[in-house]
Amino acid sequence: MFKIANADLAANFSSPLLEGESPLGEHASRFGVSEDWTGDLTNGLLKLGEKAAQLHGLEGAECGLLTMMRCYDQSDRGHILRLFEQAATAPSRFCYSTTILSGSAQRQPVFCIGESGGFDGNDGGTIVGLFIFPRFRLSAANSA
């Protein structure tokens, strides 16, 4: 799944919850781990949380997009790169799902939701998002 929406971001993800809405983490921790991430479009750096960096096989929290994506399923990388390229040029919302390949023949599913903005004035833009890692892994044999 790879989706992008050039949207009116008046009601962005940072808007307060509506009455009756519950935060994602309230019951979701039973099913997975979620972690915020940010990106600065002026320098191209992404900043992942500790768990997301670890699951992506990174030694530090800051990295470039291609560095982060190198652990993703190779057939998904081009789609994900195009999403980020589009989001870097206009306010957008996007999502993707892929798997992180590890050396132990395990595949960790990952879902990503994000939005870009801040293109007004002299700002180069920012991207904010959320990674969701389900609490299961797939064996390489089951990946087809």
Side-chain angles (χ1 to χ4, degrees):
M1 170 184 66
F2 310 97
K3 301 289 180 193
I4 191 157
N6 294 329
D8 173 12
L9 297 179
N12 63 27
F13 293 127
S14 61
S15 299
L17 294 174
L18 300 174
E19 187 175 331
E21 283 187 314
S22 63
L24 180 64
E26 190 174 309
H27 300 287
S29 64
R30 175 179 175 191
F31 302 105
V33 174
S34 63
E35 196 161 53
D36 297 326
W37 60 271
T38 60
D40 183 344
L41 297 175
T42 59
N43 61 19
L45 284 178
L46 302 177
K47 185 172 183 177
L48 283 58
E50 183 180 333
K51 187 67 173 175
Q54 177 188 17
L55 288 169
H56 280 88
L58 303 171
E59 292 185 23
E62 287 190 347
C63 64
L65 176 61
L66 296 178
T67 300
M68 181 190 74
M69 288 181 15
R70 73 174 170 224
C71 65
Y72 288 172
D73 188 319
Q74 188 172 356
S75 63
D76 294 340
R77 292 180 198 164
H79 298 292
I80 296 167
L81 184 58
R82 283 190 288 282
L83 286 177
F84 275 90
E85 287 173 344
Q86 290 176 30
T89 61
S92 306
R93 291 182 175 162
F94 61 92
C95 64
Y96 66 85
S97 64
T98 188
T99 52
I100 294 174
L101 309 173
S102 70
S104 63
Q106 295 283 311
R107 298 168 58 92
Q108 171 65 59
V110 59
F111 302 94
C112 179
I113 305 165
E115 81 176 344
S116 63
F119 297 101
D120 302 334
N122 294 330
D123 294 336
T126 60
I127 297 181
V128 296
L130 177 73
F131 286 118
I132 302 170
F133 303 95
R135 289 196 185 274
F136 62 84
R137 292 188 179 203
L138 306 169
S139 69
N142 295 335
S143 64

